[in-house]
Amino acid sequence: MTIRDTNHSMSVKRRNPWNWIPTLYFAEGLPYVAVMTIAVIMYKRLGLSNTEITLYTSWLYLPWTIKPLWSPFVDLVKTKRSWIIAMQGLIAAGFAGIAFFIPTTHFVQLTLAFFWLMAFSSATHDIAADGFYMLGLNNKEQSFFVGIRNTFYRFANIFGQGILVMLAGWLETSQGNIPLAWSITFYLMAGLFLALTLYHRFILPHPDTDIKREGLTASKLLEDFLKTFISFFQKKHLGLMFFFLLTYRLGESQLAKIASPFLLDDAEQGGLALSTATVGMIYGTIGVIALLLGGIISGFLVSRDGFKKWILPMALAINLPDLLYVWMAAATPDNPLFISICVAIEQLGYGFGFTAYMLYLIYIAEGEHKTAHYAIGTGFMALGMMIPGMPAGWIQEHIGYTNFFIWVCICTIPGIIASLMIRNRLDDSFGKKI
């Protein structure tokens, strides 16, 4: 063994995966939840209409939708480690920019610009982090840490939607100044991300395989990508595949954008008039825990019985609990316990049913170019959330909360039909642990 090999082995040994896997995937999850969920609550508290909120924040899905288009070029320029550090620095700058401009007159345009910076940086960070995960660990370690990385990604959801939103709510009350409260919250996120950037700058390992790929050119990468992209559209039953990808979460894509505004809006506007801190507790903490539990249960059942047996129950689980929002909008309960139970049931069903979507992405990605086809599938997954979410606020403001949630329930029907059609084409053994 050479001196370099010895030094590399010692370096890897010193940098135990436990020292960087949890923080790396926490760093991957936090900006996503900030863009997709915290932004909705913040803009609601800053006085934007539901129409404006859903239109502006749904557009922020775009970087994750088109992420596969530039993912090959992350291999061409620098190393995965360099991309991770650079993107985390930009995300920290995004948080700081949002915090700085919240109290200003033109806060909507200026904060959205920094949310866009954060969204593109976060989507690129996802590409680099997932690639680095495979380079920095051997096959055995990858299998062992897959549950750990997912846990800390979800913990970022709880921290963002729950703890940070509750903090913002507490600051709203204690400071008596809503813009200041949210500005302080985003400055704290900027500080946290700056700390993560510096930490990863020193603690991430330097895998021998994480090198700039010599001999690659942009034209060669583009040619290979186009071949891979075209092959995705040559799959069997293409129409049915897109019918499922774009309708399975058609109802949920609209509900997710309006749930927090509904919980926050005054009773005169048809909402439940909950405080920001209470919404953070109910939707961001209890709801996320229920979502995690639903995912765990569905994963166990599929591994035992196979995907084909559970796809229809999953489709019903992700859609039928939306009826609880119809009841809440009509009855306007003022007991936080009842509201918490309803949100928890809906999120439990969402966690249980969303597993079907992820399994179907794996199913259609089978074959050559598996990784690339899976990435393209996730782009269409984001598209299925972005497009229906954009007009959700406009629809709600024109028909009211009760009728809007009835509309959401109607929109769940195509996804259930798609699941029935997909079920007939699945292998009995797919997803089953042999």
Side-chain angles (χ1 to χ4, degrees):
M1 180 179 287
T2 65
I3 293 175
R4 183 181 182 278
D5 291 334
T6 303
N7 290 338
H8 176 70
S9 298
M10 291 175 65
S11 174
V12 172
K13 186 176 181 180
R14 284 197 304 271
R15 293 169 184 176
N16 188 305
W18 281 103
N19 292 335
W20 58 273
I21 294 291
T23 54
L24 181 63
Y25 280 89
F26 179 85
E28 186 172 316
L30 186 57
Y32 183 83
V33 76
V35 170
M36 295 302 151
T37 304
I38 300 176
V40 172
I41 299 173
M42 182 195 80
Y43 283 131
K44 186 65 180 179
R45 297 298 295 143
L46 293 176
L48 271 67
S49 69
N50 288 355
T51 298
E52 294 170 313
I53 291 169
T54 58
L55 178 62
Y56 299 155
T57 60
S58 291
W59 268 112
L60 295 174
Y61 274 108
L62 184 62
W64 285 277
T65 301
I66 63 175
K67 178 174 68 174
L69 297 180
W70 76 83
S71 60
F73 296 94
V74 175
D75 284 333
L76 185 64
V77 183
K78 300 293 185 180
T79 63
K80 303 289 193 304
R81 190 182 191 277
S82 299
W83 278 104
I84 289 170
I85 303 304
M87 292 305 105
Q88 288 184 3
L90 286 176
I91 291 167
F95 278 126
I98 293 165
F100 182 80
F101 286 111
I102 284 173
T104 64
T105 303
H106 300 290
F107 73 92
V108 177
Q109 299 92 326
L110 293 169
T111 56
L112 277 172
F114 280 96
F115 270 122
W116 274 102
L117 170 66
M118 192 190 306
F120 274 101
S121 301
S122 179
T124 306
H125 180 271
D126 291 355
I127 298 167
D130 291 343
F132 188 82
Y133 176 84
M134 291 183 281
L135 297 176
L137 303 175
N138 59 40
N139 289 337
K140 189 174 181 180
E141 289 172 328
Q142 288 178 35
S143 299
F144 176 79
F145 278 98
V146 68
I148 305 300
R149 61 180 257 186
N150 291 340
T151 297
F152 278 87
Y153 186 92
R154 295 303 181 186
F155 177 67
N157 281 256
I158 295 174
F159 181 77
Q161 291 180 226
I163 295 172
L164 287 176
V165 172
M166 286 190 284
L167 172 64
W170 177 79
L171 289 170
E172 285 180 3
T173 303
S174 62
Q175 300 295 319
N177 186 324
I178 293 175
L180 177 62
W182 284 97
S183 184
I184 292 172
T185 302
F186 272 85
Y187 272 127
L188 288 172
M189 285 191 272
L192 173 61
F193 236 86
L194 181 59
L196 285 168
T197 304
L198 294 173
Y199 176 77
H200 289 140
R201 172 69 180 80
F202 293 102
I203 208 68
L204 287 180
H206 293 265
D208 287 337
T209 49
D210 186 25
I211 56 176
K212 180 181 176 182
R213 292 168 62 184
E214 300 296 337
L216 282 180
T217 63
S219 59
K220 180 66 169 66
L221 272 175
L222 182 60
E223 180 184 348
D224 290 345
F225 174 76
L226 288 175
K227 289 179 180 178
T228 304
F229 195 77
I230 291 170
S231 69
F232 182 83
F233 290 89
Q234 294 174 335
K235 291 182 177 293
K236 295 180 179 179
H237 314 300
L238 191 66
L240 178 57
M241 181 179 77
F242 282 114
F243 181 50
F244 182 88
L245 291 177
L246 297 177
T247 66
Y248 186 73
R249 294 196 294 170
L250 182 60
E252 186 65 32
S253 62
Q254 298 172 79
L255 178 68
K257 284 296 179 186
I258 295 298
S260 293
F262 168 63
L263 298 177
L264 289 165
D265 255 337
D266 295 334
E268 295 78 23
Q269 297 170 302
L272 299 186
L274 298 178
S275 68
T276 304
T278 304
V279 170
M281 172 59 71
I282 293 176
Y283 198 72
T285 305
I286 297 172
V288 173
I289 292 171
L291 184 145
L292 287 172
L293 182 60
I296 292 169
I297 294 171
S298 61
F300 168 76
L301 293 174
V302 169
S303 67
R304 187 189 68 182
D305 303 321
F307 182 36
K308 184 173 183 177
K309 179 175 179 179
W310 286 100
I311 183 172
L312 184 57
M314 286 177 179
L316 296 174
I318 200 174
N319 290 311
L320 291 183
D322 293 351
L323 290 167
L324 292 170
Y325 275 87
V326 177
W327 175 79
M328 285 194 288
T332 59
D334 56 5
N335 188 329
L337 177 61
F338 289 160
I339 299 170
S340 298
I341 291 172
C342 289
V343 171
I345 292 172
E346 188 272 328
Q347 287 292 287
L348 180 73
Y350 180 47
F352 186 86
F354 183 62
T355 301
Y357 202 111
M358 302 309 294
L359 285 169
Y360 187 65
L361 287 179
I362 294 171
Y363 181 77
I364 62 174
E366 286 295 330
E368 192 179 5
H369 310 301
K370 179 186 297 186
T371 302
H373 284 181
Y374 182 85
I376 294 169
T378 62
F380 283 103
M381 176 177 71
L383 185 68
M385 292 293 285
M386 183 181 88
I387 294 177
M390 291 171 66
W394 181 86
I395 296 171
Q396 182 277 314
E397 290 188 334
H398 279 76
I399 64 177
Y401 278 114
T402 302
N403 289 331
F404 173 78
F405 291 127
I406 292 173
W407 161 251
V408 165
C409 292
I410 293 171
C411 289
T412 65
I413 296 173
I416 296 173
I417 294 172
S419 301
L420 278 169
M421 297 171 70
I422 291 293
R423 185 180 184 276
N424 296 330
R425 301 184 185 278
L426 290 173
D427 299 328
D428 291 334
S429 61
F430 181 76
K432 187 183 295 187
K433 187 176 182 181
I434 305 301

